[in-house]
Amino acid sequence: MTHSASLSTEIRHNALLQLLANSLVLNHTTPYLSSYDVLNLAATSRTFRYIVYSTPHIFSRLDLTTVRKAQYIEEKSSRGGDVYSGHLRRIFSSLRCLDILRHVQVLCLDGLSVTSELVHEILTDPTYSVKILSIRDVVNMNEGKLRAALQYACRPSRPEGTPRLKGLYVFGPKDSVRPDLSSSGASTPTSTCSSTSWAAGTGAADQEPEAWYTKRGAQFPVLNGSRTISEWASWASTLIACYSNIAFDAVLCTGPRHLNSRAWGTVNIEALNAAKNPASADVPIHAVATHSLGGCAGCGSAPEGWTIWGEEPPTERDPHERRASEGGTMTTDIGRFPLLAPPPLHSVSLKSAMCPTGQSVYTRLSQFRSKDEQARFIPRCYDCIRDRYCTGCNKWWCETCYVGPWASVHDGEASQAKMTDLARVTKSCWECGMNGAPLEAGPASDILSSIDSAVPQPSCNMTA
């Protein structure tokens, strides 16, 4: 018999009570429990109920992704006016009666049935205090109305102190759910939004690389047969309207073809078009970045430079000048840095949601790190890297180092078939995408050697 088993039930009960009476222990313990388990703890005794309900920070994070009543059931949801989000409204109404809803600042609704009307209510209803909202992979969402609600919330004539929402997870995939270990299946020991808490104990091979700063290449794959983010051109205008007010788990492309780029006007777009570069003048003035890139294989950087965590943006172009919703340098970070999944576990700070692993939340301290220690990336849309990016090895060549296969080649000097051989990336397989190949001896290499040395022609070591 163990020592704990030999203790009386009352003594062990009091020991737990004394432990949880410490607010520091309580605040660092409850995030690992589901809301269902926290409410069960409060129902244990009057003392536990007093501790739980008198500590408002306990309910600062609310994850409904594992709650059975939050799941959409068509038969039950058909009752009442709101068919697709009525069940969530009833949950919020119950939490409002318990005086819990006003304390919720991080709300996770990933994978549930969420409508744009419900999001509009969260944005405008003063009974909500949600600061970070996650609605990834939700169903029954009208994205057009959602974008309209976000743009309306960030309008220049909005009331002072609004919107209260500062971060929105909407583009990326929802976090992987830990296997349910409870016998009843009513809840999981750890909420999906706190996946880092249990993922830390697993092997490194099971962990997904951190988006943007560590993971290179496409950030948003096709999910459940839905369209990719590159097709969501309308989201770019929404990110522009919400710039410096609401941060997303995506950022705008900073390529020199876009007006918001620091390199706007520094690259000869006419030369790129003359080189038959597919990324021609039809590229939109603003676009959502879909790829995270390292430095150019030629120069090691990009015309617009890097997006570095903690770096002050003295020359950053604000797409629209408007009043800041938060004071200090925080407003310069909103819209420039993406939110990183999962949402923060022990904090409701927006900086914590954007801060890369191993970096300081205080961005000014990151300026003193060496280049090898800096968290940085180059956000680009697909149109800006088309025919200059290898999907096999994630190498790419910027507009300065690689203009196009037709650069400096006079008409009639080579046929279009031979110029195709000069392209640094080609599509040998529709499933593999664009891949590069080393240049082999032949007519194409002879033509390439005659091209002006001022236009270097990079090559990729990947074999198509």
Side-chain angles (χ1 to χ4, degrees), residues 439-460:
L439 189 65
E440 299 178 357
S445 61
D446 297 336
I447 298 173
L448 181 59
S449 61
S450 64
I451 294 179
D452 189 358
S453 59
V455 185
Q457 300 291 323
S459 60
C460 175

Side-chain angles (χ1 to χ4, degrees), residues 7-318:
L7 298 176
S8 64
T9 304
E10 182 179 359
I11 294 177
R12 286 187 281 121
H13 179 271
N14 290 337
L16 177 61
L17 187 62
Q18 293 178 6
L19 180 65
L20 296 181
N22 187 320
S23 59
L24 180 63
V25 175
L26 185 63
N27 290 333
H28 282 74
T29 302
T30 51
Y32 296 94
L33 303 175
S34 67
S35 56
Y36 178 85
D37 295 329
V38 173
L39 294 177
N40 279 344
L41 178 65
T44 303
S45 67
R46 291 184 177 179
T47 307
F48 276 114
R49 180 181 178 85
Y50 172 79
I51 291 178
V52 170
Y53 284 95
S54 63
T55 310
H57 295 294
I58 289 182
F59 299 103
S60 61
R61 296 185 74 263
L62 179 62
D63 183 5
L64 298 181
T65 58
T66 58
V67 177
R68 281 185 175 179
K69 290 186 177 180
Q71 308 301 319
Y72 172 70
I73 302 177
E74 186 174 358
E75 292 78 5
K76 294 183 178 180
S77 299
S78 60
R79 301 175 302 175
D82 191 342
V83 177
Y84 300 110
S85 292
H87 56 301
L88 293 179
R89 293 179 186 273
R90 289 189 288 271
I91 292 176
F92 293 149
S93 178
S94 300
L95 295 176
R96 189 180 292 110
C97 295
L98 295 174
D99 198 27
I100 293 177
L101 188 62
R102 67 186 181 95
H103 297 298
V104 177
Q105 298 187 56
V106 179
L107 179 60
C108 301
L109 303 176
D110 299 330
L112 302 179
S113 176
V114 181
T115 61
S116 58
E117 291 79 9
L118 179 61
V119 176
H120 177 73
E121 180 179 319
I122 294 174
L123 285 169
T124 58
D125 194 333
T127 60
Y128 291 90
S129 301
V130 177
K131 191 174 182 180
I132 299 176
L133 175 64
S134 182
I135 52 172
R136 295 166 294 178
D137 290 352
V138 298
V139 296
N140 300 319
M141 171 64 72
N142 187 322
E143 291 190 357
K145 291 184 178 180
L146 173 62
R147 292 190 295 267
L150 293 170
Q151 295 180 24
Y152 179 79
C154 297
R155 68 193 186 280
S157 60
R158 67 186 183 276
E160 204 59 52
T162 60
R164 288 177 294 274
L165 183 70
K166 300 302 177 185
L168 180 64
Y169 291 84
V170 64
F171 294 110
K174 64 180 181 180
D175 303 317
S176 57
V177 182
R178 189 182 185 184
D180 191 357
L181 302 180
S182 58
S183 57
S184 62
S187 63
T188 56
T190 307
S191 63
T192 56
C193 286
S194 58
S195 59
T196 52
S197 61
W198 59 267
T202 61
D206 299 333
Q207 299 184 31
E208 184 73 15
E210 187 173 52
W212 298 105
Y213 296 95
T214 304
K215 180 183 177 182
R216 298 303 186 200
Q219 300 296 306
F220 307 110
V222 177
L223 301 174
N224 299 327
S226 62
R227 57 183 179 180
T228 62
I229 190 175
S230 61
E231 298 172 339
W232 299 348
S234 300
W235 274 105
S237 59
T238 303
L239 266 64
I240 292 293
C242 299
Y243 194 89
S244 77
N245 292 295
I246 298 179
F248 295 83
D249 51 344
V251 292
L252 292 170
C253 175
T254 59
R257 294 178 176 271
H258 304 294
L259 289 176
N260 58 291
S261 175
R262 287 179 288 183
W264 169 259
T266 62
V267 175
N268 191 342
I269 303 299
E270 294 182 357
L272 294 177
N273 296 336
K276 302 299 182 182
N277 193 300
S280 56
D282 58 350
V283 174
I285 58 175
H286 298 294
V288 179
T290 59
H291 289 69
S292 172
L293 305 176
C296 166
C299 63
S301 184
E304 69 273 19
W306 295 80
T307 297
I308 304 176
W309 172 254
E311 182 184 54
E312 294 293 335
T315 59
E316 185 78 10
R317 295 173 57 97
D318 188 344

Side-chain angles (χ1 to χ4, degrees), residues 383-452:
D383 287 331
C384 285
I385 61 173
R386 186 181 299 174
D387 282 2
R388 59 178 66 249
Y389 167 74
C390 177
T391 58
C393 62
N394 292 326
K395 283 185 179 181
W396 75 291
W397 297 270
C398 68
E399 293 81 358
T400 303
C401 297
Y402 178 52
V403 178
W406 288 75
S408 301
V409 179
H410 302 289
D411 294 339
E413 187 173 342
S415 64
Q416 184 175 358
K418 292 181 179 180
M419 286 296 97
T420 303
D421 295 337
L422 293 178
R424 294 300 89 218
V425 287
T426 57
K427 180 177 288 187
S428 58
C429 172
W430 284 102
E431 296 182 357
C432 299
M434 303 299 292
N435 287 281
L439 189 65
E440 299 178 357
S445 61
D446 297 336
I447 298 173
L448 181 59
S449 61
S450 64
I451 294 179
D452 189 358

